[in-house]
Amino acid sequence: MAPYESDGSTTAGAAEERRAARRRKATRYAVPVAVIGVAAATIGLVPALADSGDPDLPDITAQQLLEKIAASDTERLSGTVRISTDLGLPDLGGLESGLLSGGPGSPSASGSGDGEDGGSAADPATKLTELAAGSHTLRVAADGPDRQKVSLLQDGAEYSLIHDGKDVWGYDSASNEVYHSTVATGTGKEREKVPATPKDLTEEALKAVDDTTSVTVEGTAQVAGRDAYRLVVKPRQDGSTVGQITVSVDARTGTPLKFTLTPASGGAAVVDAGFTKVSFAKPDASTFDFTPPEGAKVTEADETAAELPEHGRKSPGALAGDLDGLKVIGEGWTTIASFDTGGSGLPKAGASGGLGDFLGSFGDQVKGDFGTGTVFSTRLVNALITDDGKVYAGAVTKEALVKAANTAK
């Protein structure tokens, strides 16, 4: 099948309105968005089941496949997703895991993490950030917009997040702790915290499709025993750390079955999520039943919020929105967020009991018209902190950050 490229343009008028309606309908399907937690662009998932065979499917253009995804009305499914993450974070002797799960309201911030000091081991806002590192297996089920379940399988234990009507339950079997909150039914509010399936990640990625993006259909695949088309999304711009995004789309339903993000630097995928088993039959109603086990410690969401200072009641995204002077530099795949901390950058070498030397050892020292600073890098997201306290961050190269700082200066 010959690749077909789309320039990202859409049809105006009634046809576009129909497609927009389909997209809104499609977004109702998902396991609660809290499953991945950390910014979707920085989360890596790897499929346990490799694609096998190249099914012979009718030719389809990129635009037609995008429309097929948007028109997908899959609301019921169950299956197993194998996930893994390779952000290339530095080895901090376990500290990096704490940083990923930290922040206001997390166990690492408000207590020991075992539920003894105000934090709950069952709080999905922190528990599911474990998906930001290592390899994991999830069992997922969905039955419409008001019933979903995600279970994170662990050694001899299991963490489950269940949404059933107005109730959202988190249960950690290892600590026998339960977290409970409520949402208005039919609003999808519980999904504001969570992307968990390839479809969720695909919806986020396709928001970037514009004239800075190349979109092609490149062959077929088989995922979890189902025939699929391969949709490939690539930045046209230089300076992005994203190499390409590949989505395997179910040929029959239009549901993304596998999502892979590879970095421009090459090597293993940074983001890669795939079903190893999937069924589109209606899950049994008992799948979403939950009653706190006898003797379990139950933490209500209201109780957790009451124990936190005002800023701790906000999500990381909300806190980011509170940053004064937050600026967006560039467009498309090379967009950079910039803000001024109002401080003086990182501690200097030899200062703060060696903290400056410690932090500096994980970054690259850079200089330019802006002055001097340190670039901290992962395989996808990089950040420049200047010595005068300004921050530039994005899925862009070190050179792009320095250029942005020079221009802003």
Side-chain angles (χ1 to χ4, degrees):
M1 178 180 347
Y4 172 88
E5 184 164 313
S6 169
D7 62 3
S9 63
T10 57
T11 303
E16 175 57 26
E17 291 181 7
R18 287 195 296 271
R19 282 196 290 271
R22 290 178 188 140
R23 292 189 190 99
R24 289 192 294 271
K25 183 178 181 181
T27 58
R28 296 180 318 195
Y29 148 74
V31 198
V33 189
V35 176
I36 293 186
V38 215
T42 65
I43 294 184
L45 309 175
V46 150
L49 185 67
D51 294 340
S52 60
D54 295 313
D56 185 13
L57 297 173
D59 286 355
I60 190 171
T61 67
Q63 184 65 34
Q64 289 170 335
L65 190 52
L66 288 172
E67 292 177 356
K68 191 175 185 69
I69 295 171
S72 173
D73 59 357
T74 302
E75 290 191 335
R76 296 175 176 83
L77 64 74
S78 58
T80 303
V81 177
R82 179 66 179 171
I83 71 177
S84 145
T85 305
D86 187 3
L87 284 173
L89 295 172
D91 183 2
L92 304 181
L95 178 60
E96 66 275 19
S97 297
L99 293 174
L100 283 170
S101 60
S106 70
S108 58
S110 60
S112 63
D114 57 8
E116 296 179 357
D117 298 314
S120 171
D123 187 343
T126 56
K127 184 66 177 180
L128 292 173
T129 58
E130 292 180 14
L131 299 180
S135 297
H136 306 275
T137 299
L138 296 176
R139 281 202 305 258
V140 301
D143 183 11
D146 292 324
R147 306 183 89 186
Q148 301 100 21
K149 181 177 181 179
V150 180
S151 295
L152 172 61
L153 308 184
Q154 302 165 311
D155 292 337
E158 180 175 312
Y159 174 80
S160 292
L161 179 62
I162 305 105
H163 171 218
D164 185 11
K166 66 180 180 62
D167 293 303
V168 176
W169 299 94
Y171 175 60
D172 180 48
S173 68
S175 62
N176 199 29
E177 291 193 38
V178 175
Y179 178 89
H180 177 242
S181 65
T182 59
V183 295
T185 59
T187 64
K189 290 292 185 182
E190 73 290 341
R191 297 184 58 230
E192 291 180 357
K193 299 179 181 178
V194 210
T197 67
K199 183 176 179 67
D200 295 326
L201 293 168
T202 299
E203 288 174 352
E204 290 297 318
L206 292 184
K207 292 177 182 178
V209 174
D210 56 19
D211 58 5
T212 68
T213 309
S214 164
V215 184
T216 60
V217 177
E218 299 185 6
T220 62
Q222 198 169 71
V223 179
R226 297 186 67 89
D227 292 345
Y229 292 100
R230 289 182 188 271
L231 184 73
V232 177
V233 180
K234 296 180 182 179
R236 295 181 188 270
Q237 300 163 297
D238 293 330
S240 174
T241 54
V242 176
Q244 71 177 42
I245 293 171
T246 304
V247 181
S248 294
V249 183
D250 186 73
R252 179 172 295 181
T253 66
T255 302
L257 299 174
K258 176 180 170 184
F259 176 100
T260 305
L261 187 157
T262 53
S265 58
V270 173
V271 179
D272 205 358
F275 281 98
T276 61
K277 296 180 181 178
V278 65
S279 168
F280 294 102
K282 179 182 174 72
D284 190 279
S286 63
T287 302
F288 310 100
D289 292 341
F290 180 78
T291 301
E294 184 177 353
K297 176 185 176 181
V298 179
T299 300
E300 294 290 338
D302 293 345
E303 296 172 9
T304 302
E307 294 167 357
L308 299 173
E310 183 63 29
H311 72 273
R313 304 179 194 181
K314 300 178 181 181
S315 68
L319 291 174
D322 287 345
L323 291 172
D324 292 334
L326 182 66
K327 299 178 181 178
V328 176
I329 302 171
E331 62 177 356
W333 298 85
T334 56
T335 298
I336 295 172
S338 173
F339 60 92
D340 193 337
T341 64
S344 56
L346 296 172
K348 303 297 182 183
S352 303
L355 179 60
D357 295 322
F358 175 73
L359 293 175
S361 67
F362 295 106
D364 296 327
Q365 305 305 306
V366 295
K367 61 178 59 178
D369 296 340
F370 67 88
T372 57
T374 305
V375 173
F376 296 91
S377 301
T378 71
R379 299 178 66 225
L380 189 65
V381 178
N382 297 324
L384 164 61
I385 303 177
T386 66
D387 288 350
D388 60 356
K390 294 182 177 61
V391 178
Y392 302 86
V396 298
T397 62
K398 177 172 67 175
E399 292 74 20
L401 292 175
V402 171
K403 181 178 179 180
N406 285 337
T407 303
K409 193 68 176 180

